[in-house]
Amino acid sequence: MSYTLGQKIKLIRIEKGLTMEEFGKLFKPVASDSIVSRWERDISTPINHRLKRIAELGNTIVEQLLNLEFETCTNCSFNLIKKEYNFCPICGTKKSS
């Protein structure tokens, strides 16, 4: 089963035994409980530094939170996000289909 970002955020919060308000206080600036609720319901997405903090709290990485898939460039071994590049931004090698 694949979870949405919001479901993953909620799981992390619950695993920590925190209320939405307590979870929000772990961020600088503080995220209100209504903001945390919007994240958990997939109405909005946390900004980058908050995503990084959520990943830290869940002992994971942002890429896993966002369900990003990677492939490695055959020429220079750079990790490419599968859906975003048609060629390697480092060496210019065209991505294999």
Side-chain angles (χ1 to χ4, degrees):
M1 177 177 185
S2 182
Y3 292 98
T4 67
L5 174 60
Q7 290 169 327
K8 290 177 183 179
I9 293 170
K10 186 173 184 175
L11 285 170
I12 291 168
R13 178 181 63 78
I14 290 170
E15 284 178 359
K16 296 289 184 190
L18 301 171
T19 65
M20 287 184 197
E21 182 179 0
E22 293 166 335
F23 189 73
K25 288 181 180 177
L26 299 175
F27 301 92
K28 292 184 183 177
V30 170
S32 68
D33 58 341
S34 64
I35 290 175
V36 173
S37 174
R38 292 174 62 83
W39 296 341
E40 290 183 0
R41 292 181 290 139
D42 292 302
I43 293 171
S44 64
T45 302
I47 58 177
N48 291 342
H49 72 275
R50 288 180 170 171
L51 275 174
K52 185 176 178 184
R53 179 72 175 127
I54 292 166
E56 289 169 357
L57 291 167
N59 295 315
T60 188
I61 59 174
V62 172
E63 291 82 1
Q64 286 182 328
L65 284 177
L66 298 175
N67 293 326
L68 296 178
E69 293 182 44
F70 293 89
E71 66 180 85
T72 303
C73 175
T74 56
N75 188 46
C76 71
S77 300
F78 181 75
N79 283 329
L80 305 161
I81 298 172
K82 274 190 175 184
K83 295 179 181 177
E84 292 191 10
Y85 294 104
N86 291 322
F87 62 91
C88 177
I90 302 301
C91 70
T93 301
K94 189 172 181 175
K95 211 167 84 167
S96 59
S97 300

